[in-house]
Amino acid sequence: MIDYLKIPSPCYVIDEERFRKNLSLIKRVSDESGAEIILAFKGFAMWGVFPVLRKYISGAAASSADEARLCFEEIGSPAHTYSPVFKADDFESVLKYSSHVTFNSLSQFRKYSDILKKHSRKISAGLRINPEFSEVSHGIYNPCSHGSRLGVTSEDLGDSLPEGIEGFHFHVLFESDSYALEKVLEIVESKFGKHFSKIGWINMGGGHLITRKDYDVSHLINILRKFREKTGLHVILEPGSAFAWETGELVASVEDIVENQGIKTAILDVSFTAHMPDCLEMPYKPKILGATDPVSGKPTYRIGGNSCLSGDVMGEWSFDKDINPGDRIVFLDMIHYTMVKTTTFNGVHHPSIGMWTSENKFKLIRKFGYKDYKNRLS
């Protein structure tokens, strides 16, 4: 158990034991299904713990030249890189740090196909496909929404596959289970199966929440194994959240309590808009250790961030006793899709990054200061 009083505030802290548990499960799925599972940096890129991660997986999915370079330098292997568009100025760097490059459109592939052919090292080219089917209910995360800019439909692709395309990539899941994937695979096979004999791999993207407690891991293993045996394709999965799911917290402190029209707000040393943007973007209400949804008769507070954005507030929580300046507030499950999206809006103090080790000690990995804020702007 993490001793939160030993964690500097504010700080993202990952629990090494919980992290290893997730990694072990992901490795088991890979070993038993025969699928290659790599980490999607867009969900989790805390490279300070990659020495632990490298013992379980050997690759990552990138969405930019910088993410591809991070994979190459910190995981030690070239990345599987996809981007909605590649800029000409970045493309040589993308190739330098990638083993696979997936294009979002036929026009993007045509633009760069000659450069791929002339590159000194073999790069496997893929095409993102859009099966026009997804069960994702949040519009902001649905890549198959009407008029989506993401991927090539079966109608646009037609009956022929461009020379040089060696794989397909689709990403239509979001914190989904294996049964959602099973439905998607039926659609993908019906629409794009005619091309399977001409490619060597298929990347099933992310959104596979393998490490969630109720996830049917055996079912996933079975459908991946059957798909591989049926098609002969090399199967790749690239979850992000699953790697860091419920592995750590954001530790904050109460700095002030203000009251207006009967509403008490605890203002913290962290910001929702700067440090937990998904809470406002999705939106969702995070869990707080030792707190519940409002209960009549219990001390109840709205939680506010330390930026000047009026909407930098979230919900109301009830506590067993009054909270006061100096008390710790611990937001649960704040390691995936947090650090990768943070900003230094208002110049607010960015949380430190640390790990609670398997020896029950806190290890500070990174502390941020004025230069981190300043150097982003000029």
Side-chain angles (χ1 to χ4, degrees):
M1 294 290 292
I2 296 176
D3 184 348
Y4 296 107
L5 295 178
K6 293 183 178 178
I7 309 300
S9 178
C11 183
Y12 296 104
V13 57
I14 188 169
D15 186 326
E16 182 180 352
E17 287 300 310
R18 281 183 270 164
F19 187 43
R20 287 184 181 273
K21 183 178 179 181
N22 281 1
L23 292 172
S24 295
L25 179 57
I26 289 169
K27 186 177 186 302
R28 176 196 150 199
V29 172
S30 179
D31 290 344
E32 294 185 17
S33 69
E36 180 182 5
I37 303 183
I38 58 180
L39 165 65
F41 278 172
K42 64 184 175 183
F44 177 70
M46 184 181 171
W47 57 270
V49 297
F50 284 2
V52 175
L53 179 130
R54 286 196 299 265
K55 298 177 181 178
Y56 298 86
I57 68 163
S58 58
S63 300
S64 63
D66 284 354
E67 283 190 345
R69 180 175 177 177
L70 185 67
C71 175
F72 189 85
E73 292 182 350
E74 299 299 335
I75 291 185
S77 62
H80 292 237
T81 305
Y82 158 81
S83 179
V85 288
F86 291 107
K87 285 177 60 66
D89 291 347
D90 293 338
F91 197 65
E92 283 296 337
S93 183
V94 168
L95 296 182
K96 179 179 180 180
Y97 299 115
S98 302
S99 59
H100 297 64
V101 174
T102 296
F103 297 92
N104 184 64
S105 67
L106 292 169
S107 56
Q108 277 274 292
F109 173 67
R110 287 192 290 267
K111 178 178 179 178
Y112 293 109
S113 59
D114 285 344
I115 298 175
L116 273 172
K117 291 177 184 177
K118 296 175 183 177
H119 191 66
S120 59
R121 180 171 51 83
K122 165 67 176 174
I123 305 291
S124 186
L127 191 66
R128 177 164 180 165
I129 56 175
N130 185 338
E132 301 174 273
F133 172 81
S134 175
E135 294 187 323
V136 175
S137 58
H138 301 287
I140 193 173
Y141 295 124
N142 187 349
C144 296
S145 58
H146 180 69
S148 173
R149 75 192 198 285
L150 301 175
V152 178
T153 65
S154 58
E155 181 180 358
D156 288 339
L157 186 57
D159 294 327
S160 61
L161 196 65
E163 183 181 353
I165 293 294
E166 298 180 346
F168 283 156
H169 175 285
F170 65 85
H171 184 136
V172 298
L173 303 178
F174 170 73
E175 296 186 357
S176 303
D177 59 24
S178 57
Y179 297 90
L181 174 62
E182 190 172 35
K183 294 175 187 177
V184 172
L185 286 179
E186 291 178 4
I187 302 296
V188 168
E189 190 169 358
S190 67
K191 290 188 173 184
F192 297 94
K194 59 188 174 184
H195 301 293
F196 284 177
S197 62
K198 305 167 191 173
I199 61 175
W201 55 268
I202 187 165
N203 187 325
M204 300 180 183
H208 315 272
L209 199 44
I210 300 168
T211 51
R212 186 172 57 197
K213 290 182 177 64
D214 60 349
Y215 194 97
D216 193 337
V217 172
S218 296
H219 181 250
L220 175 65
I221 291 170
N222 287 334
I223 63 174
L224 292 177
R225 185 186 294 139
K226 289 178 181 178
F227 185 87
R228 287 180 53 249
E229 292 171 352
K230 181 179 181 180
T231 65
L233 296 174
H234 176 61
V235 172
I236 305 160
L237 274 66
E238 50 178 47
S241 294
F243 280 87
W245 185 258
E246 296 184 340
T247 59
E249 289 74 54
L250 174 56
V251 179
S253 295
V254 177
E255 296 296 330
D256 194 14
I257 306 289
V258 299
E259 186 170 355
N260 187 357
Q261 297 179 328
I263 297 175
K264 291 182 178 180
T265 301
I267 302 179
L268 310 184
D269 57 355
V270 294
S271 162
F272 288 102
T273 187
H275 308 139
M276 296 172 276
D278 260 10
C279 294
L280 302 180
E281 189 175 274
M282 193 171 163
Y284 78 96
K285 183 181 177 183
K287 293 181 179 179
I288 293 177
L289 184 67
T292 66
D293 286 333
V295 176
S296 179
K298 279 193 168 186
T300 300
Y301 301 83
R302 180 182 291 175
I303 304 298
N306 61 342
S307 81
C308 68
L309 176 70
S310 299
D312 195 0
V313 293
M314 179 63 60
E316 288 188 339
W317 285 265
S318 288
F319 297 79
D320 290 333
K321 60 181 181 179
D322 289 331
I323 57 177
N324 298 287
D327 289 346
R328 292 294 174 90
I329 300 293
V330 178
F331 292 95
L332 303 180
D333 198 21
M334 280 289 158
I335 301 301
H336 59 93
Y337 281 102
T338 48
M339 287 177 276
V340 292
K341 286 189 170 184
T342 55
T343 71
T344 55
F345 174 62
N346 271 178
V348 295
H349 188 186
H350 192 286
S352 298
I353 297 173
M355 178 170 66
W356 189 260
T357 70
S358 54
E359 289 80 28
N360 283 319
K361 295 180 180 179
F362 174 71
K363 178 184 178 183
L364 179 65
I365 295 175
R366 177 74 187 274
K367 185 175 181 178
F368 297 87
Y370 170 66
K371 288 184 178 180
D372 298 294
Y373 162 69
K374 181 182 180 182
N375 290 339
R376 286 187 66 253
L377 301 173
S378 295

